[in-house]
Amino acid sequence: MVSKRRFAIAGIAITLTAAGALVAKTRAQGNSDPLVKISALESKLASLEHEIELLEDNKAVRRLQRAYGYYADKKLSGEIRELFAENATAEIGGLGVFVGRQRIGQLYDFLLGGKLENGQLFNHMILQGVVHVAPDGNTAEGRWRALIQIGQADESATWMEGPYENEYVKEDGVWKISKLHWYQTLAAPYDPGWAYAQIPMDGPSEALPPDRPPTEVYRSYPGAYLPAYHYDNPVSGRKSGGGP
Amino acid sequence: MKTRATLLAATLCAGAMLAPDSGAHAQQDLEARIAAARSRLAAIEQRAARVDDVDQIENLQRSYGYYVDKMLWEDVLDLFTDDATMEIGLSGVYVGKDSIRKYLYSLSGGREGPLEGVLFNHMQLQPVVTVADDGASAKGRWRALILTGTYGEGSGGNWGEGPYENEYVKEDGVWKISKLHWYATYFVPYEGGWLHSSTEAVRAYSEGHGVTPDRPPSEDYAPYPAAFVPPFHYPNPVTGR
């Protein structure tokens, strides 16, 4: 009797062990245990949430930079100032680097000179965005170009053009400009145009000295200058402008 | 021995009795996680739909520009809702597709399609598109950079520029233009460019020929050299004001 019972107990133990092994095996395969399935789904969801956030971030950065242009059109320097992060930098043409939102506000007041008055044209078309959001979704970089039409009615009409290499930061879910750098390619009077005339780029102004000197010293058109790209060649992956 | 066997049996029974209880907990936990996953998935789907909406609206408005370039008025009209409104510069407001059709054809002497010797480029640039939370309507600020001209007529052509504040609706899953409003910043001859700008040139470009708008211009403003700030449909993207 005793032996029989012992065998029976041993038999139960073996059966339990086998069942446990089977369960473990099935769990590892992940094809029937609901817990494994839901865990896999949850991790896919997390990756989709991150992906959709990066798409939204890219759109938000484009919106920010385009809104900047519409404000510049109308000389709304107060609105522009608000688009910058507290410790941002701004560098426009050869004027040098302005550090912090307050100094940046002064720079735009200086450049825009109060609200748009009758007789003034200040068009800033913001075009051709190449925007890269960092994989963590906290910062971004963007190359853009401004096509600018400045006018004083019946007195002057001027073309300007050049690229930006800007940086952005997301603070409390809101994208802001953390670094703005506009390179002047060209300034020329509309008449007779850029084949016959050019307006040289200004250096730092005595009326509004910058916090730091220009980061790059160059001559605008007809000078040839290559503002560095923040991105590699999107097809070859080689450094942009790296030559043969 | 008997006692040990009984103890073992009791333990197994107790285990068997406990099992349904912990299983119920596991089941409850699982269902909560499934419900949470469902709601996360729904949120992702909605956010993806909004991203997609913006892309579709941008394509819609850019398509408008490419059709206008070539005066393909029937293609332009297809982009509008039946009760849409259209207002270009100082044209006044045309209400409904039939009215808009008359206006558009009046700009090209009643013909459709590109005309020999005529340039009518309308670049659609710098979109700021805002989709309503319910995904059923949207607004967009854009700008047009315009190059027009008639070859060999002694004029070097014209430049035009100005922003749109447009509205869109989604009908049966398709985005359409429900309101198109272009504010003329300027329309000037190529010679001299924006050195001299006049309201008359904006009128000549934007007013229909031999057609009457359904409503007068919705806003009383003059183009450059007057300073005018067409209102923004969106708050400052950082301050929200």
Side-chain angles (χ1 to χ4, degrees), chain A residues 2 5-6 9 12 16 34-35 38-39 42 45-46 48-49 52-53 55-56 59 63-67 69-71 73-74 76 79-80 82-83 116-121 123-127 147-159 174-176 190-191, chain B residues 1-2 4-5 8 12 26 29-30 33-34 36-38 40-41 44 47-48 51 54-55 58 62 125-130 141-143 145 159 161 163 185-186 189-197 224-230 232-239 241:
Chain A
V2 170
R5 275 193 190 123
R6 279 196 171 160
I9 291 162
I12 290 164
L16 285 174
L35 287 174
I38 189 72
S39 295
E42 282 165 345
L45 281 173
L48 271 177
E49 279 164 344
I52 193 77
E53 179 134 8
L55 288 174
E56 290 169 341
K59 283 205 167 354
R63 182 185 181 88
L64 174 68
Q65 190 62 56
R66 289 168 180 156
Y70 285 124
Y71 291 144
D73 287 350
K74 303 304 178 187
L76 298 170
E79 300 286 353
I80 289 179
E82 297 299 326
L83 303 179
L116 189 73
E117 303 283 355
N118 286 335
Q120 295 178 334
L121 184 72
N123 273 356
H124 279 65
M125 296 176 227
I126 301 295
L127 309 172
L147 179 60
I148 301 169
Q149 302 171 323
I150 293 174
Q152 184 65 50
D154 305 319
E155 284 178 25
S156 67
T158 307
W159 281 115
V174 178
W175 282 96
K176 301 175 186 177
Y190 182 89
D191 192 6
Chain B
M1 280 324 242
K2 192 177 174 186
R4 277 179 65 185
L8 181 69
L12 284 171
D29 178 49
L30 189 63
R33 285 171 70 180
I34 288 172
R38 278 208 181 108
R40 285 170 71 185
L41 186 59
I44 292 168
R47 291 165 71 184
V51 168
V54 172
D55 286 344
E58 291 189 354
R62 290 176 176 132
L125 310 170
Q126 205 176 327
V128 174
V129 172
T130 312
R141 193 177 182 96
W142 293 76
R143 70 196 314 154
L145 179 60
W159 290 104
E161 199 280 334
T185 300
Y186 66 74
Y190 184 86
E191 286 86 5
W194 46 93
L195 184 63
H196 306 291
S197 174
Y224 179 69
F228 178 68
V229 182
F232 304 87
H233 78 262
Y234 52 91
N236 182 297
V238 171
T239 63
R241 289 192 296 268

Side-chain angles (χ1 to χ4, degrees), chain B:
Chain B
M1 280 324 242
K2 192 177 174 186
T3 316
R4 277 179 65 185
T6 309
L7 196 66
L8 181 69
T11 308
L12 284 171
C13 277
M17 282 168 73
L18 273 173
D21 193 38
S22 68
H25 277 127
Q27 187 67 24
Q28 246 175 20
D29 178 49
L30 189 63
E31 279 176 13
R33 285 171 70 180
I34 288 172
R38 278 208 181 108
S39 91
R40 285 170 71 185
L41 186 59
I44 292 168
E45 282 171 337
Q46 199 189 21
R47 291 165 71 184
R50 293 297 165 273
V51 168
D52 194 35
D53 286 335
V54 172
D55 286 344
Q56 288 185 37
I57 290 163
E58 291 189 354
N59 276 350
L60 174 68
Q61 188 63 46
R62 290 176 176 132
S63 298
Y64 167 88
Y66 285 123
Y67 291 146
V68 169
D69 287 350
K70 302 302 180 188
M71 295 179 275
L72 294 170
W73 304 135
E74 294 306 319
D75 286 296
V76 170
L77 285 158
D78 283 349
L79 307 180
F80 286 85
T81 60
D82 288 342
D83 58 354
T85 62
M86 183 171 191
E87 181 175 9
I88 301 291
L90 302 170
S91 70
V93 185
Y94 289 85
V95 181
K97 258 191 193 182
D98 292 343
S99 245
I100 295 172
R101 175 178 281 106
K102 284 177 194 154
Y103 167 68
L104 292 174
Y105 276 90
S106 87
L107 301 176
S108 56
R111 286 163 298 191
E112 201 213 14
L115 294 168
E116 199 71 20
V118 174
L119 185 73
F120 206 62
N121 275 0
H122 285 69
M123 299 178 221
Q124 308 288 301
L125 310 170
Q126 205 176 327
V128 174
V129 172
T130 312
V131 180
D133 287 341
D134 66 2
S137 65
K139 296 182 183 185
R141 193 177 182 96
W142 293 76
R143 70 196 314 154
L145 179 60
I146 303 167
L147 290 74
T148 70
T150 306
Y151 189 74
E153 283 204 352
S155 157
N158 303 280
W159 290 104
E161 199 280 334
Y164 298 88
E165 276 287 347
N166 294 344
E167 296 181 13
Y168 310 89
V169 297
K170 201 182 200 172
E171 288 184 349
D172 298 328
V174 179
W175 283 102
K176 299 177 185 175
I177 301 168
S178 58
K179 177 182 170 185
L180 188 129
H181 187 179
W182 182 71
Y183 295 83
T185 300
Y186 66 74
F187 194 83
V188 294
Y190 184 86
E191 286 86 5
W194 46 93
L195 184 63
H196 306 291
S197 174
S198 71
T199 299
E200 290 64 40
V202 170
R203 285 197 186 290
Y205 161 74
S206 62
E207 286 181 342
H209 304 296
V211 289
T212 311
D214 300 287
R215 296 201 294 257
S218 59
E219 284 185 67
D220 184 21
Y221 73 97
Y224 179 69
F228 178 68
V229 182
F232 304 87
H233 78 262
Y234 52 91
N236 182 297
V238 171
T239 63
R241 289 192 296 268

Side-chain angles (χ1 to χ4, degrees), chain A residues 81-201:
Chain A
R81 177 185 180 279
E82 297 299 326
L83 303 179
F84 285 85
E86 187 58 47
N87 55 358
T89 62
E91 181 174 10
I92 293 183
L95 295 176
V97 183
F98 291 77
V99 182
R101 198 192 285 145
Q102 194 207 344
R103 290 287 286 152
I104 290 170
Q106 290 172 7
L107 171 66
Y108 281 93
D109 287 342
F110 174 74
L111 286 171
L112 309 185
K115 75 179 186 68
L116 189 73
E117 303 283 355
N118 286 335
Q120 295 178 334
L121 184 72
F122 210 68
N123 273 356
H124 279 65
M125 296 176 227
I126 301 295
L127 309 172
Q128 212 174 323
V130 176
V131 173
H132 295 101
V133 177
D136 67 5
N138 292 325
T139 60
E141 295 173 285
R143 193 178 182 96
W144 297 82
R145 73 195 315 153
L147 179 60
I148 301 169
Q149 302 171 323
I150 293 174
Q152 184 65 50
D154 305 319
E155 284 178 25
S156 67
T158 307
W159 281 115
M160 294 179 92
E161 197 278 337
Y164 297 88
E165 276 287 349
N166 294 347
E167 295 178 12
Y168 309 90
V169 63
K170 187 159 66 173
E171 291 179 351
D172 297 329
V174 178
W175 282 96
K176 301 175 186 177
I177 302 169
S178 58
K179 178 184 167 186
L180 182 136
H181 189 174
W182 182 70
Y183 296 82
Q184 180 172 310
T185 298
L186 160 87
Y190 182 89
D191 192 6
W194 49 83
Y196 303 99
Q198 55 92 19
I199 301 167
M201 188 166 77

